[in-house]
Every structure is written in structure tokens, then in C-alpha cells.
Amino acid sequence: MGQASLSRGYRGYLAAFQPSVPTAAPDGSLLVRDDDRAEALAGVFGIPAGEPAAATSERPSASMDDKKAAFLEAGLDLLRSYEADLAAVFRLTVTAVFSSRTSETPGSMTSSAAIGAVWISPADSWTPQDLTEAYVHELTHTLVMLDEHRYGHYPHREELDNPVNLVPSAIRREKRTLFASAHSIFVAAELLRLRERHHGHGFDFRLHPASRALRDNALRALDSILTMPNRDRLVGPRLRELLDATGESMRSLRLGPTGS
């Protein structure tokens, strides 16, 4: 199957199970510069829309002005320079990158209610490397959600919110659902692999923790999942397979003195 056919099939799949979500733009553009579409996506994500700002030739959109758009494009360019194949997977599976008027707290986000869409609110202190990590972070969430749709990860998903089933997460280091904690482990592993292959472990990261802390927290979260008393009831075979492989990958890293 060619790239174009795969892309059409994927977008058709998204449209079928989330028909009210305006993810892919008709012209194929990735960055959402249209306020109406950005507000619709923000509503699906539960992000307040905020007050409209006056549009000018320099700032055609209140949610994404030219400066923010240029920075977001620079992050995509850096990702392409790192790994063309990874960038191609991003361009295939992520159908919309949007921001919002109310972005006092910087960060990035995906939602299971709008697979394919990524919300980005960069801080002024972010470097292009931080932005690239945000992209890889949200791409990981997207791919894991798609894997869940294909294989099923949680035999009894309705039980995940039970307080007795909460486990620590790798990024926030707080007790969260198995779903959130497993995702955080996968994200941590992908960020560590990105650093290992490209910008290194000693970079001054602003968005995510330093590599040693990131790995240690992820391994602790993984251990908490694998030692859950009801693990076999809540963790499906596919999820266990992915967690085991991810643990092996993280343990094989050699961070060195700059990874602390």
C-alpha cells in the first residue's frame, strides 16, 4: 500500500469512529491556523477557548500567530533532520497541530476523544529540542492509542479508575490510572531513545526531566505495574508485551555522567 493510500485509509478510519472531530484539514495542512477549527478542537480537549484577539496581517489567528507557527514548523524541521522516517510517521498519524488563546500553562497534550490531534502551547524558554520532544511525546501517545484500538490493552478498563488500581506515573511522579501510567512509561522510553540517538542526555531540557531521573521514574512506574496484585486481570497480553520490551530498552541505556 502506498503512502497516499495509507493516509486516506487512516483518515477514513479516524472519521468513522470520531466523526465530530475536525482533525484532518481538507488541504492537508498540519498546523491549524483557522480559529474556528482550533476552538472546535480545544472544545473536544476541554480547553477553554478564551477571548478573541484582533487579527492583523502579522497575526492572522489569535490561537496561532506567525511567530508561534514558525516555531512549530522549526520543530518539525528538526524532527525531519533527526529522522526522516520518524517525521513521516508523525506526518501520517498526526493530522492536526493546534494551539489556543488561553495558554498560560505551557505544555502539550493529546486526547483519546480526538486521536490525530495534538495541542501545543510552547513556553518562551523552550528550545527547538524541547519542541521536538513535545512532538515525540504526543506521537507516542497517539501510536499507543491506535495500538489499543487494534489489539486491546485492558481486559477490564472499567476498573482502572478504582483507587486501589492507581499506580505511579513516570512523568508526573504521582499516582494515576494504569492507562496514564503505562502511557507515561512509553513516552519516557521514546524520549530517552530520541536523546540517545540525537541531542544527547546532557542537554538543558526545559519540558521534560533529565534523562537519569526520567529513566529511574519510568522503571519505578513499570515495577509498580508489574507487581500489582491484580496485574493479570488489568494488563492484557499485548500491553504486557510492550511493557516488557520497553523495560528492557530502558535498562540497556548507558547514560554516563551527563545523564544525571
Side-chain angles (χ1 to χ4, degrees):
M1 180 182 290
Q3 181 80 6
S5 297
L6 184 60
S7 179
R8 285 194 299 271
Y10 173 66
R11 280 155 176 74
Y13 173 71
L14 291 181
F17 78 82
Q18 49 186 39
S20 62
V21 178
T23 50
D27 63 358
S29 59
L30 183 62
L31 299 187
V32 178
R33 303 294 303 271
D34 175 76
D35 274 348
D36 290 339
R37 186 163 164 247
E39 287 182 16
L41 286 168
V44 176
F45 275 59
I47 301 169
E51 294 299 322
T56 67
S57 58
E58 290 77 23
R59 187 169 65 181
S61 168
S63 59
M64 188 181 295
D65 59 21
D66 289 343
K67 179 181 178 181
K68 185 185 291 186
F71 183 59
L72 295 180
E73 285 286 7
L76 293 172
D77 289 341
L78 182 59
L79 185 62
R80 279 190 289 270
S81 74
Y82 280 169
E83 294 185 36
D85 289 345
L86 181 61
V89 172
F90 186 95
R91 192 63 183 84
L92 172 67
T93 55
V94 174
T95 61
V97 174
F98 75 103
S99 195
S100 55
R101 295 187 181 106
T102 54
S103 55
E104 295 178 359
T105 303
S108 62
M109 188 182 350
T110 50
S111 171
S112 59
I115 295 177
V118 170
W119 174 80
I120 298 278
S121 178
D124 291 340
S125 62
W126 281 18
T127 64
Q129 287 81 3
D130 286 310
L131 178 57
T132 302
E133 289 208 343
Y135 285 143
V136 171
H137 182 142
E138 302 310 336
L139 173 62
T140 304
H141 282 307
T142 300
L143 293 174
V144 174
M145 286 188 286
L146 290 170
D147 197 88
E148 292 165 13
H149 276 265
R150 170 61 180 85
Y151 295 103
H153 288 183
Y154 310 98
H156 298 279
R157 195 182 183 97
E158 72 281 358
E159 299 178 16
L160 299 187
D161 289 330
N162 189 319
V164 302
N165 294 328
L166 300 183
V167 287
S169 68
I171 306 294
R172 297 186 186 179
R173 294 184 295 171
E174 60 187 29
K175 283 200 170 184
R176 304 183 71 195
T177 66
L178 173 60
F179 170 89
S181 184
H183 270 249
S184 75
I185 293 167
F186 297 135
V187 166
E190 291 304 319
L191 293 177
L192 289 167
R193 280 193 281 262
L194 179 73
R195 294 175 183 182
E196 185 85 354
R197 293 192 301 264
H198 300 292
H199 49 244
H201 295 289
F203 192 82
D204 183 17
F205 302 103
R206 309 297 175 86
L207 177 59
H208 297 108
S211 292
R212 189 172 299 279
L214 192 60
R215 183 183 67 175
D216 291 350
N217 292 336
L219 289 175
R220 277 193 288 268
L222 176 60
D223 185 63
S224 295
I225 291 176
L226 297 181
T227 57
M228 294 174 69
N230 54 352
R231 179 199 66 199
D232 292 339
R233 177 174 176 80
L234 298 179
V235 179
R238 172 64 173 180
L239 178 58
R240 177 62 189 270
E241 175 188 344
L242 293 175
L243 289 171
D244 286 344
T246 299
E248 290 180 11
S249 171
M250 287 190 291
R251 291 186 184 94
S252 70
L253 291 173
R254 298 291 183 265
L255 300 183
T258 60
S260 58

